[in-house]
Amino acid sequence: MQVTKKVIIEKSAEQVWHLIAHQFDKAHLWMGPIPNSTALGEGQSKAGAPMEGRICDLSDNPNGAKVKEIITHFSEQDKSLTFDVLPVNNPAIVPIKQNNVHMQVKSIGKQKSEVTWVASPQLKWFAFPFYPLLRLIFPVAFGKLLQGLKQYAESTTLSVNHANA
């Protein structure tokens, strides 16, 4: 399964890229369902990113469900990154084994950019009978994440200074 969502943001591609990539660990600022996120392996990752990835809490419980997101591809030139989303302490009933997400930012004007989100969730065996329903749910959920990014980016003063990442 692959789900592609796009959003137009009234900020420069450089500003949006800085938020998505150089502040990768700060997903909680714009991802509504994430109360907290922290960096994994700060400094240059093998992929050339400013960190290896992040841990996102899925609840306020410090021992609760989380996802570990590892950056596997990072390109300043293309303003694109790819990361694997791996569940940690998630209930067995959660239908996703793991997810692979590719994000790219493109300039479509001086203060306008387009963010593309391509998710490739891998389902657990018991989830396949629910495939038609999941095909409806995932685009809505990923779309809400991008709307959160748009809302945060457009209502916040964004930096492009990599030294402040």
Side-chain angles (χ1 to χ4, degrees):
M1 175 186 312
Q2 190 173 64
V3 178
T4 301
K5 297 299 287 183
K6 294 183 180 194
V7 69
I8 304 296
I9 299 177
E10 300 291 331
K11 291 283 183 164
S12 73
E14 291 75 20
Q15 289 171 307
V16 175
W17 171 246
H18 183 79
L19 173 61
I20 290 170
H22 293 272
Q23 296 183 343
F24 187 77
D25 57 325
K26 296 182 175 34
H28 64 277
L29 296 176
W30 58 271
M31 284 188 178
I34 308 297
N36 188 44
S37 55
T38 55
L40 282 175
E42 288 187 81
Q44 289 294 327
S45 73
K46 291 177 188 171
M51 62 201 73
E52 291 176 29
R54 65 185 171 212
I55 295 282
C56 294
D57 295 328
L58 301 179
S59 74
D60 290 326
N61 177 354
N63 298 317
K66 304 176 185 323
V67 289
K68 181 179 183 179
E69 300 180 338
I70 304 297
I71 299 170
T72 59
H73 163 80
F74 187 90
S75 172
E76 283 288 344
Q77 183 178 346
D78 296 337
K79 291 183 180 53
S80 69
L81 64 86
T82 304
F83 55 97
D84 288 331
V85 182
L86 308 164
V88 177
N89 294 338
N90 281 230
I93 194 71
V94 173
I96 299 176
K97 198 183 317 182
Q98 76 173 55
N99 192 5
N100 179 270
V101 176
H102 178 77
M103 294 182 76
Q104 185 163 20
V105 182
K106 290 185 178 178
S107 177
I108 57 171
K110 185 173 180 169
Q111 282 295 311
K112 190 180 271 192
S113 56
E114 179 183 69
V115 177
T116 303
W117 169 290
V118 181
S120 302
Q122 294 177 16
L123 303 178
K124 293 179 181 174
W125 65 270
F126 65 82
F128 285 98
F130 305 103
Y131 185 88
L133 179 62
L134 296 173
R135 276 297 293 155
L136 296 172
I137 292 172
F138 288 152
V140 172
F142 298 144
K144 284 183 180 179
L145 292 179
L146 285 182
Q147 285 303 312
L149 174 64
K150 175 182 176 65
Q151 184 177 24
Y152 179 81
E154 291 180 353
S155 66
T156 305
T157 302
L158 299 179
S159 169
V160 293
N161 183 351
H162 298 252
N164 293 337

